[in-house]
Amino acid sequence: MTEYVSHGDPRRSMALLWGKCEPPTRGPKQALTVPEIVAAAVDLADTEGLGAVSMRKVADRLGRSPMALYTYVPAKAELLDLMLDSVLGEVTTDYPYDQGWRAAAEASARAGWAFYERHPWVLQISQARSLLGPHELDLYEAQLRIFDGLPLTGRDVNRLVTVMSDFVRGAARAVHDARQAPKATGLTDDEWWTTRSALLEEMAPPDMWATRWPTITRIGEEAAFDQQDREPGDDTPYIVWELLDSFEFGLQRLLDGIERYISSRAP
């Protein structure tokens, strides 16, 4: 299920994101803080998934009643905003700008990859709308700086940041889905392939392949599906390994393309 941010009460959400909420002047001393609530919610999402996050479960983790949380955070919509901006603050922006844009861009991509590895639940949150929170903007600023000063328009710089971010997120989502497949289906990759491949041979006999799917046949004969680069003893599931390999290959080809584009814009 896809979740969306920025759909709670606008003023309250923005005030919480930017730390502008005024503490109550009356009543008993507050026993919790917003950062404590957010940290508990993030820990819950990390361990049980985003679907497990609710005001009640977060309250249980903190040893409080759900009503106690509403004093600080009005609803789950605002909590989700706070969770996402909080973890975005973890993404390193210490890119090697002095080594050139390509080194910085690769460092940014790998920082994003590590971020999704730590918090895969973020992949369930739509990127259709921005948070406009401080950590999100800090990260965006750092990514824009990678291409700043090059012979590019501002529009080009924004596009390149978006392309890089989309590539990393898409690759991370594919790997996450592949890792979850055995638990969701009850079959390992090997079990799935053994069962289905035997049936495929029955449905599509070998003499059909050369005429109907000649390209698949040819690259198969060229060992396209053999993982020659796999290290001895590497027990990564076949599909996950393929996706990880595709990420590494694709990242370099993407950077090659950006490099060629930048060169074409040079005076």
Side-chain angles (χ1 to χ4, degrees), residues 81-155:
D81 289 357
L82 291 167
M83 290 170 62
L84 180 56
D85 198 65
S86 174
V87 294
L88 285 173
E90 300 175 8
V91 183
T92 180
T93 56
D94 187 22
Y95 309 141
Y97 296 108
D98 58 336
Q99 297 178 28
W101 72 264
R102 181 160 182 151
E106 181 168 350
S108 174
R110 296 195 181 283
W113 182 270
F115 168 67
Y116 290 124
E117 290 276 275
R118 289 195 305 275
H119 305 295
W121 54 268
V122 175
L123 295 166
Q124 293 178 253
I125 300 176
S126 170
Q127 289 188 306
R129 294 177 179 173
S130 297
L131 281 171
L132 303 181
H135 292 130
E136 181 187 60
L137 292 175
D138 288 343
L139 179 58
Y140 183 47
E141 171 72 16
Q143 291 171 333
L144 290 174
R145 281 187 59 199
I146 293 170
F147 303 104
D148 192 32
L150 297 171
L152 300 169
T153 66
R155 179 68 173 157

Side-chain angles (χ1 to χ4, degrees), residues 6-265:
S6 296
H7 71 278
D9 177 79
R11 179 164 293 278
R12 189 70 187 274
S13 284
M14 292 296 285
L16 284 166
L17 282 169
W18 289 89
K20 302 294 185 181
C21 286
E22 294 293 333
T25 57
R26 295 181 180 180
K29 181 180 179 181
Q30 292 188 307
L32 290 172
T33 65
V34 171
E36 286 174 339
I37 295 170
V38 173
V42 168
D43 184 60
L44 182 61
D46 286 343
T47 55
E48 299 184 32
L50 190 59
V53 177
S54 68
M55 298 296 278
R56 178 173 295 280
K57 281 198 171 185
V58 174
D60 288 344
R61 287 213 163 199
L62 293 167
R64 304 287 175 177
S65 70
M67 290 305 297
L69 267 61
Y70 293 118
T71 304
Y72 307 87
V73 182
K76 182 181 174 181
E78 289 80 8
L79 179 60
L80 188 61
D81 289 357
L82 291 167
M83 290 170 62
L84 180 56
D85 198 65
S86 174
V87 294
L88 285 173
E90 300 175 8
V91 183
T92 180
T93 56
D94 187 22
Y95 309 141
Y97 296 108
D98 58 336
Q99 297 178 28
W101 72 264
R102 181 160 182 151
E106 181 168 350
S108 174
R110 296 195 181 283
W113 182 270
F115 168 67
Y116 290 124
E117 290 276 275
R118 289 195 305 275
H119 305 295
W121 54 268
V122 175
L123 295 166
Q124 293 178 253
I125 300 176
S126 170
Q127 289 188 306
R129 294 177 179 173
S130 297
L131 281 171
L132 303 181
H135 292 130
E136 181 187 60
L137 292 175
D138 288 343
L139 179 58
Y140 183 47
E141 171 72 16
Q143 291 171 333
L144 290 174
R145 281 187 59 199
I146 293 170
F147 303 104
D148 192 32
L150 297 171
L152 300 169
T153 66
R155 179 68 173 157
D156 284 341
V157 171
N158 181 60
R159 283 169 171 163
L160 291 178
V161 169
T162 301
V163 166
M164 290 287 298
S165 297
D166 287 349
F167 169 75
V168 175
R169 182 184 171 94
R173 180 58 191 260
V175 170
H176 173 68
D177 288 350
R179 285 173 174 161
Q180 294 300 307
K183 180 179 178 181
T185 64
L187 293 173
T188 66
D189 288 349
D190 286 344
E191 290 169 340
W192 164 79
W193 176 246
T194 300
T195 302
R196 295 280 171 159
S197 62
L199 291 170
L200 181 60
E201 290 183 8
E202 180 183 331
M203 305 297 169
D207 58 354
M208 178 189 293
W209 285 79
T211 54
R212 187 164 181 173
W213 304 294
T215 309
I216 297 175
T217 301
R218 179 179 56 77
I219 69 169
E221 292 171 350
E222 294 175 4
F225 310 115
D226 295 344
Q227 299 176 340
Q228 302 100 326
D229 300 332
R230 184 191 282 264
E231 294 292 332
D234 184 349
D235 60 355
T236 304
Y238 180 91
I239 296 174
V240 174
W241 191 96
E242 282 288 330
L243 292 168
L244 292 171
D245 181 67
S246 294
F247 170 73
E248 294 295 337
F249 178 83
L251 176 59
Q252 297 308 318
R253 302 298 75 74
L254 177 58
L255 293 173
D256 288 345
I258 293 174
E259 185 169 5
R260 186 176 181 87
Y261 182 76
I262 293 171
S263 298
S264 73
R265 293 297 181 268

